[in-house]
Each structure stands twice: as structure tokens, then as C-alpha cells.
Amino acid sequence: MELINRILSEMTLEEKVGQLNLVTAGQAVTGPVANGDMTENIRAGFVGGVFNLWGRDAVRAAQKLAVEESRLSVPLFFGLDVLHGHRTIFPVPLAEAGAFDVELWGRTARAAAVEAAADGIDLTFAPMLDVARDPRWGRIVEAPGEDPLVAAEFAAAKVKGFQGEGLSAQGSIAATAKHFVGGGAALAGREYAAADISERTLHEVYLPPFAAAVAAGCAAIMPAFNSVAGVPMTAHAELLRGYLRTRLAFEGVIISDYTAVPELVQHGVAADLVEAAALALKAGIDVDMVSGAYLHGLPQALERGLIEETDIDAAVRRVLTLKRNLGLFENPYRRLDASEAATCDHGALALEAARRSITLLTNRDILPLPADVRRIAVVGPLADARAEMLGPWYAAGRAESCVTILEGLRAALPAREIRHHPGVAIEGDDCSGVDAACALCATVDAVVLCVGESAGMSGEAASRASPGLPGRQREFAEAILATGAPVIAVLSSGRPLIASWLIERARATLATWLLGDMAGKAVADVLTGRFNPTARLAATWPREVGQIPIFYATRSSGRPPDAGNPFTSRYLDIPTEPLFPFGHGLSYAQVQLYNLRTNVERFEIRDDAELEVRVDVANRGTIATEETVFLFVRDPVASVARPAMELKAWAKSFLDAGAAKTTVFTLSIESFSFPGKNMQRRCEPGAFEILVGLNADPKTLRSIRVEAVPTPNPQA
Ligand code: BGC
């Protein structure tokens, strides 16, 4: 603290607000504004951190300016959006979430941190933890899906992976949990739109992943662009100061999103830049990303009496503490001096992660590809689309490093005849290639139809009102289906695609999302059976746009859907059920669950209550398999209507062909509680249903009841 106090006491007001100023170097542009003269501002002490700049020489040069040429020699920190890999690109988060593997989530974050640190990066703007239940919203691709427990586990794994043994440890970078909060609830799935979320849903669904990130020691948090119930998150004192700082005791740095501070004017809660800066600072935002609103606005806000200098000091102290924790005062070049990354090759991890992120949606007796399939047509605009495999956030990743689906299949099946035609482009109206592609398909034993979205069609500012196949791909796919050749649909996308017409007619469908460097190799491994698919959907897959938002944990209705009764909660024109439920995903084995049991029928409501649930899992197939067993809890009668069911745990079962094993879950009182008064969690007495199965389809779940009873009163 002494060092920080000393620096603070020597700083002019301009140098203080300089520490709160995060500028972009423009190597990657994520918003509309690029920064002015960064060099002069660094020398003058008007810059606290730089983002979108990486690489040893570039970072060293910028750091040198701060350390050797600014008056107080305060080092800069360097940030970047390292979401799913830095140089080695792993699957997009929505895909990786489907691995349901906490350990894998941590390992890919660790690898990304090591690579990013070696490129001079101190801090990543990740993990992204928005619970996402609307496939129209392009940022669903960056998110760990629809479920708060999955997002919370993902949060902890990623934070620990990025931050390693400590912020100053070799290969560690600071994590920034974002976007706090509710971006996934944007009105009609439209990017940056307002969200209106009840306090209950905030506490049940949207806040828990951030609480998990804070508990894991997350160094920074980024508020969301959107407003929640009329209050822009950049000015949301109740959630930033009240919830994060007071209730969660979060002591790290709060970094605004890109130009979000001046956007308070457009939101309609600040009259000018000065008021916007004052509102944001007062609400708890320490660092202003890009806009210069703090640099130019805070001194005037001080003059107008809107803030006090102690508000500024508190924010500066947090930024300096972050820099100290990152080890930057000790050695501002510490990450650049480390050599760990130079010797690391994360290709094997990228392949493992990519394989484990592929969801086999349907399979009507065609996969794995049988030996008598000698001639294969690999068609469609995503078959040989190297750059698209990277996904929308690829940091320092390079298209040249990606293996395409066509390349993967050719390498995996050298003795078979593989023909290729793109047919159509991802977007646009040109159908001139359709006939040639169809002609190719007429002469083969199987068609691998690679369709979907480009990388830029999901991610930030990529909402789609009709999230189906873009351009002329539907016509193209219909023409291929009409040839009568057996079609295996391979969907590359950043979201569940609305393509029921295709999925229902194809012999098999794989959701391959955007898998990163090893995309093609991993897809080939699944198609050929070298890898028995393991991923499960982290987000419900709708059959129609009109079902969105869609998720399994909906609250009941007084009139639950009943096909035989028109006056129930249903649609006239389509079923209420999704095409695939949360947790869906096939393997090449057949697995059965049976004999669900608990060690007790009733438990006392106590903090240390523990309940064991067991279920037997048998592999009736002829291939070893990894299955994910999900456990949900339903509270049928409570003081507040509870969701139909909530995920409380999942477990992996590794089974050889013909083998059976018992899966054991240990539940705590937490699994039976929900936010009561003041949004503090509580467990109410009464019956609970425990539901266990391979996905969230209620028809397939096994269930058992337990009862929670009050603890006997010792005075009674
Ligand atoms: C995005 C953030 C990102 C930031 C910096 C913004 O536009 O919303 O997620 O971290 O840009 O690139």
C-alpha cells in the first residue's frame, strides 16, 4: 500500500484521471472510435492502460514510453479480448460449454493466458458470462449458454485458468467478467437494446455467474452496454456498488465497455459528457474504455461539484493495486521477459477441445461413416472456409492455422474419393454453382453438406431476426436433398440455427459451431468414428423463431401446455417443445439410466445438510462412451412459483462397451434453496422432486421425491 499511497500523493489531478483512461491502439477495432495521439498521452501520464495492442516489440515500446518517459513512471497495463484462445484458437464459448467439462474449460483458458502473456497481454476482457436464451442475439456465441449453474461453473473455471496461481505468476493474466449484467435479455434479441429483468430473475439467473467469478478471485468486471429496468448498467449504482462492492465484497477494478460512459447521454440519463462521467464514477466505474470521458469530463465534474476527489482517488487506487498485483511495478516487462509460451504447442488441446464441442444432433443409421461409403461429396460454402472457423473473437489467431472440414476429411480418409464443390456462397444471391454441386452429389455414396453462418454473423453487433441459413443456402440444401443422396448436415454457426426443415430430412446432423484451429480435423474424427461424440447442448435448440426466448427452466403456468385443450399455454401453429432440449446430444453408444435412489427420504433444513443421489448408467452399445448425466430439482409447492426444474449438478460417466456404473451426486442445501425475502437464499420445507437424465426433456427424466423438514427447535 505504501507504494500506491506515495504514487497517489505525487499525482496531479490530470495524472490521476489518466490512470482511469483505457485507450485502444487499434490493432483490432471493436467499436466505432479509435484513439488519438496515444504516444503523447502516454508520455504525459494521461493513459492508464492500452488494449488491442499485442506482440513483444509493440508492447515493449509502449510500456517504455510510460516507464521511461512519463513523469511518475507508472507502468501501463495491456488488455485484449482473449475469449477462446490467443494464438491457438479453441472453440467458441457456446460450443465449449457443451463439453460440460470444468477441467477442460480451465485448461483452454490457461493455454490462452500463457500465449497472451507472452505477447505482452496483462488482462483479458473475458470470461463472458451472459446467460443467453435468445439465439437471435449474436453474442450467444460468446456465452456459456442458457443455464446459470453452467455459467457459474464456467466462470470459476475460466477465471482460475486465466489467472493461474496468481496475477503475478508466469503465464497469468487478469480476467474481466463481463458483461454485468443482463445483455442476454436484450429486447427481441437486438444487440445493445434495453433489458427489463425482474429482481427475482436477476438473482436467480443473471447474477450467479458473476458471484462465482468474484468468488474465484476475478480481477476485473465489465458492466454491460444495456440498461436494466431503465437504469444503464454503466450508471447502475445499486448493482455495481450495492451488489458487487458491498454484497459480494468485490475489490477489483470495474472497467466500462467501449465508449459506454458517453453513451449515458444517448441512454437519456445524462445531459452531457461531464454528467455522464460523474454518473459512471459515482456508480462505481473505475476505468473508462476509449471515450476519454473521464480524462476530459472528470476534472469538470469536480469543478461542478458532481463528484469529490476522493471518488477519483478510490478508483485510481484500485487501478494501481491491479498493476501491483500483476507485478508490473516490480518488472513492467515481466510477461515479455518470460519464455514459457515460446515452447508451448497447444494444437493437441485445440483438437481435444474441438472434438469435445461437437454435438451430434441426429443420426439415422449413417454415422460413423461405414467402410462401404467410398465416394463422398463435401459440398456447401462452409466446407473449405478457413477464416470462418476462427469465430468472431480470435485475438491473434490466424486463418492460415485453421484446418477446414474438407481438409480434415481428406486427411482422415486418404483412400476414399472425396469431391468438393461450394455450391453457393454463405451470403448473396449467386446460385450458379448449385447445378454443378448437385451433379457431383448424384454420383456419390454420401454427401457432407457444410452450411451455416460466417464468423461475422455472430458475436457483437450480429443479431439476426431470422437466424436460419443465410443467403441462398436453403435453396441449395433443398436441391442437394432432392438428389436423393444420403445427406449428413454439418452446421457451422455461432448460435442454434433455425433449420428444422433440414435437420428433419438429413440422415444425420452435427452442430459444429465455430471450432477454431482444429475444426476440420475434429469434424472428420467425429464423422469417421475416431472420436465418439460427447458434447451436449448448453442452449435449447428452437424449432421456430417464434419460440424464442426459449430455455428449459421456465416457470409453470396456471394452464400448462396441453395439446388436447385449446385454453392452455401453447401455440396454434407449432408445438411448444423445442427441436432439441438443453443437454441433448447423441453418441455412437446407447446408454440407459435406471435405479435412481437417494440415501434418505427426508432431510433437515440445515446449512450442513447433505443428500446423496445415485443412478446406474449402462452402456448397451458396442463402443466405449462418455455420457453426461444431468440432475435437476423441482420444487412443486413454494411461496414463489419455481421454475419447472433447475439444473443442480451434472456428472460424467465413462463406460466401456457393455459396462454399467453408478453415478453419485452429493447435493447440499443450496440445491433446494432459492432467493427469498431480500433475495437471500432459503430452503422451504416440503417435498422436492429430483429428476435425473441425459437431457432436459421432461419425458425422458427419471424422478424421485425427497422431503425437507424444519430443524427441530432446541427450546421446544
Ligand atoms: C465489447 C466488449 C469488448 C470491448 C473491447 C466492446 O464493444 O462489448 O465485449 O471487451 O468492446 O474490445
Side-chain angles (χ1 to χ4, degrees), residues 30 51 81 125 139 178-179 222 225 257-258 289 460:
T30 45
F51 72 113
D81 291 283
F125 304 120
R139 302 199 86 162
K178 71 183 186 186
H179 308 88
M222 180 189 292
F225 279 125
D257 205 343
Y258 206 107
M289 185 187 281
E460 185 174 0

Side-chain angles (χ1 to χ4, degrees), residues 127-131 142-144 151-152 154-156 159 177-179 206 209-210 213:
M128 193 281 212
L129 303 174
D130 300 5
V131 170
E142 302 170 45
F154 191 84
V159 168
K178 71 183 186 186
H179 308 88
Y206 291 99
F210 290 92

Side-chain angles (χ1 to χ4, degrees), residues 254-274:
I254 300 185
I255 304 176
S256 88
D257 205 343
Y258 206 107
T259 60
V261 176
E263 286 168 24
L264 291 175
V265 175
Q266 275 91 301
H267 270 291
V269 297
D272 58 20
L273 187 86
V274 177

